[in-house]
Amino acid sequence: MKNLSVAAVRLSRWLLSFAGRGGSLPGQIGLKIDPQILSKIRITGPVVVVTGTNGKTSTANLIADLLQEAGYDVVTNRKGDNLREGIATALLSRTSLSGTVKATAAVLETDELNVKYILPALPVTALVVTNFFRDQLDRAREMEQLIESIEGVLEPFQGTLVLNANDPNVMRLADKAPQASVVTFGVARNQESTRVTGEAAEGKFCPRCSRPLVYDWYQYSHIGRFRCEACGFGTPDTIDVNLEDIDLAAGTFAWNGSTFHNPYEGLYSMYNAAAVLALGKLLGIPAPKAEAVFRHAPQPAGRNETFEADGRRIVLNLVKNPTGANEVMKVIERDPALKQIVIVLNDREQDGRDVSWIYDTHFEKFMNPATQAIWCTGTRSGDMGLRMQYGGWTGPLHMVSDLKEAVHEAAAAGDVIYVVATYTALVPARNAILEEVRK
């Protein structure tokens, strides 16, 4: 069955390539033929699994680039097919009929709910965890249930946990992995850090004893330096990779005596870079190779992706939960230019049917004189328009059913346009922007 499963994936992937398609279908076929196929293949070299609510795509891609820079032949699901079927497609497409993956390293972005399938099946060297936030409640359920699904497969894990030291929901994983080693990463206190937080936060109570956690400071949401005064659980006194001298304006940070260029904008993205450096330290990859990767990192689609044409600047951002959306709002707020805002809110299955998260997002951050008008579109445009009114927006508010029309009107109204889109709206929004740019 193993050989048949591998052959079916390779053949279906080859056939789909002629139609310009890819995705997870080949992996679905392979797993249907042999549900245990992932545990039967052989991988030579490190296997890195990257998971978490926000930042896993960027982090996984940067880690894959780092390993390639270090000389590894890397197999990875770079396009973000992070469910079990997508991971099976990536691996089995590079597997010989004898069951050996033809690569010297694997970097696999993995959906949080799929870690329970991937971690026991593969010889994972390192599990990198970026953060845990409330996200897509109708699919992922409450965050506690999601974390428990990962904790349930950690007891036999003998690799290394690479954990965000500033997230109590991540650090708790170490308690459930007695056979694993732990490497931590974080970001030191800086000019953006605050003593209190007004953002949605899920790190209020100690996961060991349920007492309230005390924070010395916050970076955003529940990310910061925390401790439990009852049982001692908290941010480690010594963090293996702790970024310092944070300069958001210059986009730089320091670690281990060297200055690095942050590949993406925003304080939250510094944690992606910290995770990459921590993984590099674990594998003995020199830091200059990471700096080379950071300096040449491509901008991921929909992550502050910028398009320019005829003096206009259009910036596209993906939003899918309150914490990630709030960080996008901060980026928009810091831009002093006169701007138009397009918000595309969908509620399809991949977005999450429950859109109540928009009331935990601080859209008010861009409700200032620099914002000239707001366009709301998408399947739940009415809900977003109501949210704008509840937020106190009194300027021009346009409700447009057609996404392309909304982008076109905003682009005609000004030179700086921010487009904020949920998951299923991201590709249509990007296509609409490209049409405007090509005119």
Side-chain angles (χ1 to χ4, degrees):
M1 296 297 286
K2 177 181 72 175
N3 291 353
L4 180 59
S5 177
V6 172
V9 170
R10 291 175 57 181
L11 177 61
S12 59
R13 179 72 178 270
W14 180 73
L15 292 173
L16 284 171
S17 68
F18 282 99
R21 297 178 56 193
S24 61
L25 179 58
Q28 293 178 33
I29 296 171
L31 288 167
K32 187 72 173 179
I33 295 171
D34 187 346
Q36 305 303 318
I37 183 61
L38 291 181
S39 63
K40 297 177 181 179
I41 60 178
R42 295 183 299 277
I43 305 176
T44 301
V47 178
V48 181
V49 169
V50 181
T51 195
T53 307
N54 293 333
K56 55 182 175 286
T57 300
S58 297
T59 301
N61 289 345
L62 287 170
I63 289 174
D65 290 343
L66 177 63
L67 266 61
Q68 289 176 340
E69 182 76 15
Y72 289 92
D73 178 12
V74 181
V75 57
T76 184
N77 53 337
R78 188 176 290 276
K79 292 184 178 180
D81 293 321
N82 60 21
L83 304 184
R84 176 170 45 171
E85 296 81 4
I87 291 169
T89 299
L91 290 175
L92 299 180
S93 297
R94 293 277 301 273
T95 299
S96 67
L97 293 180
S98 65
T100 299
V101 177
K102 292 181 282 188
T104 56
V107 178
L108 304 169
E109 177 193 340
T110 305
D111 172 79
E112 303 95 292
L113 288 176
N114 279 251
V115 172
K116 61 185 177 184
Y117 304 122
I118 302 304
L119 199 67
L122 298 175
V124 176
T125 306
L127 173 63
V128 181
V129 187
T130 59
N131 47 60
F132 288 125
F133 299 109
R134 179 161 45 92
D135 182 41
Q136 296 183 338
L137 292 179
D138 47 350
R139 184 186 79 87
R141 299 172 293 175
E142 287 293 339
M143 190 184 66
E144 183 69 21
Q145 295 173 296
L146 183 149
I147 296 173
E148 287 178 352
S149 76
I150 297 175
E151 290 178 331
V153 296
L154 288 180
E155 195 280 331
F157 180 56
Q158 297 181 8
T160 300
L161 294 173
V162 181
L163 304 179
N164 184 344
N166 294 142
D167 187 341
N169 300 317
V170 171
M171 286 303 297
R172 63 183 274 187
L173 297 180
D175 288 351
K176 301 297 183 179
Q179 302 183 71
S181 56
V182 176
V183 171
T184 56
F185 63 90
V187 176
R189 188 173 186 175
N190 57 83
Q191 69 271 21
E192 294 292 316
S193 306
T194 60
R195 288 285 299 168
V196 296
T197 180
E199 300 175 2
E202 285 77 41
K204 296 179 179 179
F205 300 98
C206 177
R208 288 181 184 169
C209 70
S210 301
R211 302 289 182 85
L213 290 174
V214 176
Y215 277 77
D216 295 331
W217 42 263
Y218 294 89
Q219 306 284 28
Y220 63 94
S221 188
H222 61 263
I223 305 299
R225 186 166 185 83
F226 60 90
R227 67 184 187 281
C228 176
E229 296 182 334
C231 72
F233 174 78
T235 300
D237 291 334
T238 301
I239 299 174
D240 294 294
V241 174
N242 199 33
L243 308 189
E244 299 178 327
D245 298 332
I246 307 300
D247 188 334
L248 291 183
T252 59
F253 60 84
W255 176 65
N256 201 26
S258 298
T259 298
F260 295 83
H261 172 77
N262 184 27
Y264 308 121
E265 188 171 353
L267 179 62
Y268 66 98
S269 71
M270 295 280 183
Y271 281 90
N272 302 342
V276 173
L277 286 168
L279 192 281
K281 181 178 180 179
L282 173 67
L283 297 182
I285 300 174
K289 292 190 179 297
E291 170 61 7
V293 167
F294 294 157
R295 284 196 173 276
H296 299 98
Q299 192 69 40
R303 275 72 169 184
N304 216 44
E305 186 178 12
T306 302
F307 305 81
E308 295 189 11
D310 298 328
R312 293 177 300 168
R313 174 165 57 94
I314 307 177
V315 183
L316 175 63
N317 270 299
L318 169 69
V319 295
K320 58 178 183 171
N321 55 53
T323 298
N326 280 333
E327 293 308 298
V328 170
M329 297 308 115
K330 292 175 185 176
V331 170
I332 298 174
E333 181 186 32
R334 282 196 294 267
D335 185 350
L338 296 177
K339 61 184 72 71
Q340 321 297 317
I341 309 290
V342 179
I343 309 177
V344 195
L345 178 63
N346 282 353
D347 66 344
R348 298 188 173 93
E349 184 176 357
Q350 290 173 294
D351 304 292
R353 302 291 186 184
D354 184 348
V355 298
S356 62
W357 60 271
I358 65 176
Y359 288 92
D360 288 325
T361 299
H362 295 179
F363 293 104
E364 290 80 5
K365 285 186 175 296
F366 62 62
M367 295 182 188
N368 54 52
T371 296
Q372 297 181 304
I374 298 173
W375 280 259
C376 296
T377 187
T379 60
R380 299 292 289 270
S381 59
D383 295 79
M384 185 56 73
L386 187 62
R387 172 68 182 88
M388 295 299 101
Q389 292 182 334
Y390 277 141
W393 175 250
T394 58
L397 180 62
H398 307 283
M399 310 301 296
V400 182
S401 59
D402 185 77
L403 189 160
K404 288 185 180 181
E405 183 180 344
V407 172
H408 174 70
E409 290 181 5
D415 294 332
V416 178
I417 303 95
Y418 279 88
V419 180
V420 179
T422 53
Y423 191 80
T424 63
L426 185 65
V427 172
R430 192 173 190 274
N431 290 338
I433 292 171
L434 288 174
E435 284 190 21
E436 287 299 318
V437 169
R438 289 166 183 159
K439 288 179 180 177

